[in-house]
Amino acid sequence: MGNGASRNPDSSFHGSAERDENLDQAGGQLYVSLKMMNYKLNGDLIPHVYGSVPLVGSWDSSKALSMERESTSMWELSFVVPPNHETLDFKFLLRPKYNHVPCIVEEGPNRLLTRGTLQGDARSALFRLNGNEVREYQVFIKADRVSPFDLAASWRAYQENFQPSTVRGIPDVSINSVPEPGAENGPSASLELDLEHYVVPAPATFSNSGMVYAANMTESPRSMIHAGVLSNSEGSGNVLQFYKDGGISIDRTATKKEMEVMVPDPFKFYSGSGMVGSKSVGTFSSLQKQDSHRGLFVDRGVGSPRLVKSASAMPFTFDLKLDPETKNAMPAAAGAVAAAAVADQMLGPKEDRHLAIVLVGLPARGKTFTAAKLTRYLRWLGHDTKHFNVGKYRRLKHGANQSADFFRGDNPEGMEARNEVAALAMDDMIAWMQEGGQVGIFDATNSMKERRNMLMKMAEGKCKIIFLETICNDERIIERNIRLKIQQSPDYAEEPDFEAGYQDFKKRLDNYEKVYEPVEEGSYIKMIDMVSGQGGQIQVNNISGYLPGRIVFFLVNTHLTPRPILLTRHGESRYNVRGRIGGDSRLSDTGEVYAKKLANFVEKRLKNERAASIWTSTLQRTILTASSIVGFPKIQWRALDEINSGVCDGMTYEEIKRNMPEEYESRNKDKLRYRYPRGESYLDVIQRLEPVIIELERQRAPVVVISHQAVLRALYAYFADRPLHEIPHIEMPLHTIIEIQMGVTGVQEKRYKLMD
Ligand SMILES: Nc1ncnc2c1ncn2[C@@H]1O[C@H](COP(=O)(O)OP(=O)(O)O)[C@@H](O)[C@H]1O
Ligand SMILES: O=P(O)(O)OC[C@H]1O[C@@](CO)(OP(=O)(O)O)[C@@H](O)[C@@H]1O
């Protein structure tokens, strides 16, 4: 749209330099939303808009933009103006949709929009019809500056998913901030104010609830499993109780029983000093240009992680050396993971086929939290990943109630006992990798070089180690973390006196601080003050390969700002009613009622959340479901489109069974991997949703995702930490909102059912 050359001599209006600067700094685009009220069709004349720049026809009425009917008498048009636009003059006109004449242009001077501000008085649109009859229609013109980076943030997501809609007349990005007059009298008014009224229980499988201490869900010592003392990681944690309101509580009795178990001593002690020299260090911050490091997202927001890559930093490259021995060995979840990851795993050096992420950091620095989150992400992407928490091994071997003295650097028994359990956990992790496991997350303080050397020695020739150090210098956050630890950690489950627990943990921290040696060796990622809200930094050293690159990218985008993510399917579609899959049908009458109810719900639930946004697919049924929601930007993502059912698109399951029995059978056998002819599989859907997950992690404001059954199953599985094979079978009912609450203790779920 550039320098929209205006014919209006007064159009050289400019805002103050300061305002311009502010707008430029916002880096945003302008979302212009025009509405015309009470226009009832007059012959085949449809309201249009044309104006001074090519986007609105350059004053050529044949290229005017048609407004779309939003309701019986309300017409709407939204478009996006790039930030550098000068002035936009425009006028409303009435014209047949596919004919150029007759063309009736509104009376009066041009309307003028300068740098986001409408000049002159707001006035109705006056049209002089044949015989000099004058018709007057009320119009609303609204321009909102919204950062496009908040909308479709990563360049990758933008390139891959932010495609033009196939739906005629519906803008890809729109904002309608003016509540529809009379909206409160629509069907939505039937939704009572009390949202709690609509709460229904969440399924009892939400294993990653913020109420559950992540360490409890990690692996158990093999020796115990083999001895039949414990079952496996899932079974060995605490007993969970699920309540009607979706809350979860931990049965401490179970924890205690587990702690009482003592194992025969299978421990071996490992030592060594195989230190790997540091090759290059890169620091990432947002100050560099986006295109200077492909694949890494740059956040322009205040208080977001900073990402800078120094010239000396290693690029994330693929090592494609051919290893004939493993040519045919496919990774466990082949097909789920990106081709580059498969190539790395199959063709890279032998030890690189297994990756150990070894956490480093003082207590209460978010190591277990980060390890659990990374495990969830990698598993969801299809990488066989396990989380080994040395604290859990320690508790099982030495009991949960060790005092701070146990952790003193000058307590030889304590040191030996701690190294012993660390070696046991590492041993288990390597054994698991040799059975085919891909990524092991080794979660302990690992705060001294000597310990890290031991681990590197154990890993030699077996797996590649990347240290992941979490550093936090914000005293307030450390204080909050300590308090959370006393509440959550099984170490203090038996301590009834909070203050006594607090003092003991502080002493433990002191003991660690005295001997702490930051990582300077090998390959590493350092997360420094990433959750302080003041920026933060990620430093990487000697990192290469597809998977390490994805891990860095993921960590850069995660944070702890609490916010809800609301997931919902579109309202019932006409195809849903007829049992047809895919397609691009409109909503049924029931679906339309849901759209109104949803708008009402969103209005109430996100009343004070001005920065929230609504994400839809590019298919009509989601866009129409979002259409009644006002006051938030709406973004269409192609990645949110329903699973592509290829040649079966538009058929009923019955028709597929009858006409393509083999296809029907194959899907029944393996719904996760089955790919519709010329369409997609669930695994394909998961892959294309990865940028959406990264973007949901990155967002600090609430997001409402209105999408489809298969897509929402995949998204939900990420948050609920559900295994890949369950994804195609997860229940995803219509007319229900799943609220995922992201916060400092992890992820929690709540459900609202708005209609039966
Ligand atoms: N990068 C981080 N820096 C500081 N605190 C964090 C970070 N990530 C998560 N946290 C917070 O730290 C709390 C305690 O984390 P936890 O993982 O138990 O610590 P650790 O394993 O280091 O002892 C978490 O509940 C979370 O709120
Ligand atoms: O994988 P299955 O269970 O077939 O579910 C996906 C199907 O759900 C449907 C409805 O049957 O999605 P949608 O919610 O978009 O209408 C189909 O369009 C889609 O093919």
Side-chain angles (χ1 to χ4, degrees):
M1 196 138 166
N3 307 316
S6 169
R7 288 194 313 195
N8 186 327
D10 295 333
S11 66
S12 56
F13 182 99
H14 288 281
S16 72
E18 190 189 341
R19 179 175 147 79
D20 287 357
E21 196 182 306
N22 286 343
L23 293 177
D24 287 345
Q25 276 170 5
Q29 301 193 34
L30 204 58
Y31 297 89
V32 182
S33 168
L34 310 176
K35 283 187 198 294
M36 184 179 287
M37 314 305 297
N38 305 326
Y39 181 78
K40 299 240 168 59
L41 267 188
N42 183 356
D44 62 351
L45 292 182
I46 286 176
H48 282 68
V49 173
Y50 79 153
S52 59
V53 295
L55 181 74
V56 281
S58 302
W59 294 120
D60 176 351
S61 61
S62 69
K63 293 186 185 145
L65 290 184
S66 168
M67 299 184 83
E68 294 292 321
R69 190 169 13 201
E70 279 242 313
S71 58
T72 327
S73 60
M74 210 259 287
W75 295 73
E76 201 262 353
L77 172 70
S78 330
F79 50 85
V80 181
V81 185
N84 60 344
H85 96 104
E86 286 298 317
T87 56
L88 166 60
D89 304 30
F90 65 94
K91 279 191 147 186
F92 292 94
L93 67 153
L94 302 178
R95 209 200 72 189
K97 192 149 194 169
Y98 303 111
N99 259 327
H100 302 161
V101 283
C103 181
I104 306 164
V105 180
E106 68 166 314
E107 301 287 304
N110 296 345
R111 297 173 187 267
L112 183 62
L113 192 69
T114 307
R115 306 289 252 159
T117 308
L118 192 69
Q119 310 301 326
D121 293 336
R123 63 174 211 268
S124 301
L126 287 181
F127 296 95
R128 198 169 292 279
L129 307 183
N130 293 342
N132 261 356
E133 180 196 345
V134 175
R135 293 263 174 95
E136 179 174 355
Y137 304 103
Q138 200 184 3
V139 293
F140 291 100
I141 302 166
K142 180 118 177 93
D144 282 274
R145 191 163 286 267
V146 180
S147 161
F149 298 101
D150 283 345
L151 305 182
S154 76
W155 69 270
R156 196 165 152 247
Y158 183 90
Q159 286 192 333
E160 288 176 9
N161 302 291
F162 199 57
Q163 304 281 328
S165 166
T166 51
V167 185
R168 206 182 150 77
I170 299 182
D172 296 323
V173 180
S174 64
I175 179 160
N176 48 343
S177 306
V178 186
E180 274 181 48
E184 63 281 5
N185 299 324
S188 56
S190 64
L191 186 69
E192 292 155 34
L193 256 174
D194 179 14
L195 299 183
E196 294 304 310
H197 177 75
Y198 295 91
V199 172
V200 289
T205 45
F206 206 67
S207 58
N208 201 34
S209 162
M211 302 293 286
V212 180
Y213 186 55
N216 292 331
M217 311 303 290
T218 60
E219 300 306 306
S220 297
R222 283 178 168 228
S223 48
M224 287 184 165
I225 296 168
H226 292 155
V229 186
L230 294 174
S231 53
N232 52 30
S233 60
E234 279 78 38
S236 62
N238 297 312
V239 170
L240 308 180
Q241 290 192 344
F242 296 86
Y243 292 115
K244 201 164 168 257
D245 65 359
I248 295 177
S249 87
I250 303 166
D251 183 338
R252 292 290 194 184
T253 324
T255 311
K256 185 157 182 279
K257 265 196 217 138
E258 182 185 300
M259 296 314 158
E260 282 165 358
V261 173
M262 288 292 164
V263 232
D265 202 347
F267 297 81
K268 285 178 261 161
F269 184 75
Y270 291 83
S271 66
S273 59
M275 193 169 142
V276 179
S278 171
K279 274 195 200 160
S280 54
V281 179
T283 305
F284 291 75
S285 109
S286 64
L287 303 174
Q288 275 198 346
K289 279 205 177 121
Q290 215 166 335
D291 55 5
S292 64
H293 45 82
R294 278 169 63 84
L296 289 169
F297 169 65
V298 179
D299 190 332
R300 289 156 197 238
V302 179
S304 300
R306 301 188 328 142
L307 191 74
V308 181
K309 190 175 182 190
S310 80
S312 64
M314 298 264 297
F316 301 133
T317 54
F318 307 129
D319 188 347
L320 292 178
K321 268 179 264 148
L322 196 65
D323 180 351
E325 256 180 62
T326 55
K327 240 180 359 204
N328 299 320
M330 283 295 279
V337 296
V342 176
D344 271 13
Q345 201 185 337
M346 291 170 69
L347 307 172
K350 213 169 166 193
E351 64 272 21
D352 282 9
R353 278 174 233 142
H354 308 286
L355 179 62
I357 301 290
V358 174
L359 274 294
V360 176
L362 289 166
R365 283 353 191 231
K367 295 183 300 298
T368 299
F369 184 97
T370 307
K373 196 160 185 174
L374 197 52
T375 305
R376 178 157 62 92
Y377 169 69
L378 292 173
R379 278 185 185 156
W380 180 79
L381 273 180
H383 302 285
D384 194 6
T385 306
K386 279 192 173 176
H387 180 179
F388 294 81
N389 176 270
V390 177
K392 180 171 179 178
Y393 276 64
R394 167 180 53 78
R395 284 187 279 276
L396 289 167
K397 165 82 175 140
H398 300 289
N401 48 358
Q402 296 294 338
S403 76
D405 277 346
F406 182 79
F407 302 95
R408 277 199 345 253
D410 58 357
N411 169 358
E413 292 84 34
M415 287 294 283
E416 189 180 334
R418 283 161 53 208
N419 280 332
E420 228 177 354
V421 280
L424 179 69
M426 187 70 176
D427 227 5
D428 280 1
M429 191 170 92
I430 291 173
W432 165 73
M433 283 177 174
Q434 286 175 340
E435 290 159 9
Q438 196 188 352
V439 188
I441 312 234
F442 189 82
D443 172 16
T445 54
N446 301 317
S447 53
M448 293 168 74
K449 263 198 182 120
E450 191 192 344
R451 160 74 73 83
R452 297 195 292 267
N453 286 343
M454 172 186 100
L455 300 175
M456 285 204 280
K457 188 105 184 112
M458 290 176 78
E460 253 171 26
K462 299 190 175 116
C463 66
K464 172 174 162 179
I465 284 194
I466 293 179
F467 293 115
L468 172 55
E469 185 175 13
T470 58
I471 297 173
C472 178
N473 298 304
D474 186 325
E475 286 304 325
R476 281 168 314 138
I477 290 177
I478 297 171
E479 184 64 25
R480 184 189 67 194
N481 290 353
I482 293 173
R483 288 175 178 277
L484 277 172
K485 284 292 254 202
I486 314 297
Q487 285 162 17
Q488 290 189 322
S489 169
D491 285 358
Y492 295 99
E494 304 291 303
E495 174 54 81
D497 180 1
F498 181 88
E499 190 51 34
Y502 178 84
Q503 291 307 335
D504 180 77
F505 193 79
K506 289 281 265 190
K507 258 202 236 155
R508 189 198 290 196
L509 253 177
D510 281 351
N511 289 335
Y512 272 102
E513 268 168 24
K514 278 183 202 142
V515 292
Y516 185 65
E517 295 167 295
V519 178
E520 288 162 344
E521 68 272 29
S523 301
Y524 63 75
I525 303 166
K526 277 177 195 264
M527 297 172 71
I528 305 170
D529 291 330
M530 288 288 286
V531 297
S532 66
Q534 309 291 321
Q537 263 188 22
I538 287 231
Q539 287 182 1
V540 299
N541 180 55
N542 195 18
I543 299 290
S544 65
Y546 176 82
L547 210 46
R550 298 272 7 116
I551 290 170
V552 173
F553 188 64
F554 176 73
L555 295 173
V556 163
N557 286 292
T558 59
H559 57 84
L560 289 182
T561 307
R563 78 278 186 198
I565 294 170
L566 307 179
L567 306 176
T568 177
R569 284 176 71 183
H570 51 79
E572 182 189 64
S573 69
R574 295 183 189 176
Y575 260 32
N576 289 154
V577 175
R578 294 159 62 197
R580 303 207 168 275
I581 66 169
D584 192 13
S585 68
R586 297 174 72 85
L587 299 181
S588 69
D589 290 348
T590 313
E592 281 182 13
V593 173
Y594 178 68
K596 298 280 185 232
K597 287 190 175 240
L598 178 67
N600 198 295
F601 176 91
V602 169
E603 190 186 319
K604 283 168 187 140
R605 177 64 189 83
L606 304 181
K607 195 163 60 202
N608 303 315
E609 304 278 7
R610 294 207 46 78
S613 54
I614 317 293
W615 298 2
T616 68
S617 72
T618 64
L619 298 168
Q620 285 199 82
R621 52 195 187 276
T622 64
I623 296 166
L624 294 170
T625 303
S627 63
S628 303
I629 302 174
V630 291
F632 302 105
K634 294 173 194 163
I635 301 109
Q636 293 172 20
W637 287 70
R638 192 176 291 286
L640 289 175
D641 283 4
E642 180 54 311
I643 189 169
N644 179 348
S645 42
V647 297
C648 298
D649 192 70
M651 295 169 82
T652 63
Y653 293 116
E654 204 36 58
E655 283 167 352
I656 300 173
K657 191 173 177 183
R658 200 170 345 111
N659 301 327
M660 304 183 201
E662 310 80 35
E663 294 298 329
Y664 187 83
E665 207 26 53
S666 306
R667 191 162 200 254
N668 257 359
K669 277 202 189 116
D670 189 353
K671 200 173 171 191
L672 177 70
R673 287 177 181 76
Y674 172 83
R675 182 178 279 146
Y676 282 109
R678 283 196 251 139
E680 286 179 304
S681 68
Y682 267 87
L683 290 179
D684 295 333
V685 171
I686 293 166
Q687 284 304 304
R688 72 156 139 100
L689 283 173
E690 200 241 357
V692 177
I693 287 294
I694 295 282
E695 190 51 24
L696 284 173
E697 284 288 352
R698 196 188 74 85
Q699 290 282 326
R700 286 175 191 262
V703 178
V704 182
V705 181
I706 304 174
S707 183
H708 307 264
Q709 177 152 257
V711 165
L712 289 169
R713 281 174 174 155
L715 289 180
Y716 174 77
Y718 167 76
F719 294 108
D721 201 11
R722 297 274 289 268
L724 281 184
H725 68 268
E726 281 184 15
I727 291 179
H729 311 284
I730 293 174
E731 210 194 324
M732 194 49 63
L734 281 169
H735 307 158
T736 303
I737 296 152
I738 301 177
E739 176 172 325
I740 306 288
Q741 185 65 42
M742 309 278 281
V744 292
T745 54
V747 183
Q748 282 172 286
E749 175 187 358
K750 195 167 181 180
R751 289 188 177 211
Y752 303 88
K753 191 165 193 257
L754 300 193
M755 289 165 69
D756 288 323

